[in-house]
Amino acid sequence: MKLAHVEAAVLCGGASTRMGRDKATLLYDGVPLALRVARALGACVERVRLVGRDPALGALGLELLPDRHPARAPMVGIAAALAACEASAVLVGACDLVQLDPRVALAPADGGADAIAPLGPRGPEPLLAIYRPRLLPELERRIARGELRLQALLRDVGALFVPEADLRALDPELRSLTNANFPADLV
């Protein structure tokens, strides 16, 4: 089932300091990380775009939305996706969610909250979440003030959280929430 009222964005603009190089084009099982996530999200929605600055992302064959602010933070990428959004919401996925299961990506699809995110063992997972375009002014205010923590945003806007038990019913080991942060994570 694909959601017609939601589009997706793969966040590809992080600093990748722990990885040592840009993650989006790194290969995992022969496929660039950003493309792996785009395919998983594409199982959920019709339109998937990449958000980032690296011109090499254009070779992945998907529409590229440039980050609109010099800060390298996920909130900046989400703001760019919301500014370009032509649907009622954007399903966001970080490019380093190497084992993303489309069923888990769809888990937060219900509800009319401004933000809907999985609640994993470490707390809210803002890098696999749904955001509504009406949040854009709040994101822009926070970016201008340098307040870039997505956890704080989710708390302050009264986000709806998908319980961990619901996620585990789809992905018992919660591999979908695992990020590839270090080169060893790609082996």
Side-chain angles (χ1 to χ4, degrees):
M1 169 183 86
K2 290 193 179 195
L3 302 174
H5 65 288
V6 177
E7 57 189 51
V10 180
L11 302 178
C12 304
S16 300
T17 53
R18 293 175 284 190
M19 186 62 75
R21 62 170 284 214
D22 181 58
K23 294 180 189 180
T25 56
L26 287 176
L27 300 181
Y28 183 79
D29 286 342
V31 179
L33 295 183
L35 193 54
R36 286 180 64 87
V37 174
R39 288 176 180 167
L41 297 178
C44 306
V45 301
E46 294 293 329
R47 184 178 200 181
V48 180
R49 298 188 269 191
L50 304 177
V51 182
R53 289 192 188 100
D54 185 353
L57 293 170
L60 298 180
L62 295 170
E63 183 181 352
L64 179 61
L65 299 173
D67 287 339
R68 298 172 30 190
H69 189 276
R72 294 187 73 129
M75 187 179 290
V76 171
I78 294 169
L82 292 177
C85 182
E86 296 176 4
S88 65
V90 176
L91 171 59
V92 170
C95 72
D96 62 356
L97 295 171
V98 295
Q99 298 185 49
L100 180 58
D101 182 326
R103 296 173 305 152
V104 173
L106 271 178
D110 293 329
D114 287 345
I116 307 167
L119 191 57
R122 296 179 308 266
E125 297 284 348
L127 298 182
L128 179 61
I130 289 181
Y131 296 90
R132 308 262 179 225
R134 61 183 175 251
L135 273 178
L136 181 58
E138 179 60 24
L139 268 68
E140 289 176 336
R141 281 191 290 277
R142 287 172 186 252
I143 292 167
R145 294 189 307 247
E147 298 170 6
L148 303 175
R149 292 190 34 86
L150 286 170
Q151 299 276 353
L153 173 76
L154 292 177
R155 180 194 64 235
D156 294 347
V157 301
L160 175 67
F161 295 108
V162 179
E164 182 178 337
D166 292 358
L167 301 172
R168 286 192 185 277
L170 303 168
D171 180 0
E173 296 178 31
L174 295 180
R175 290 182 185 178
S176 294
L177 303 180
T178 303
N179 302 81
N181 290 316
F182 301 96
D185 295 338
L186 299 175
V187 179

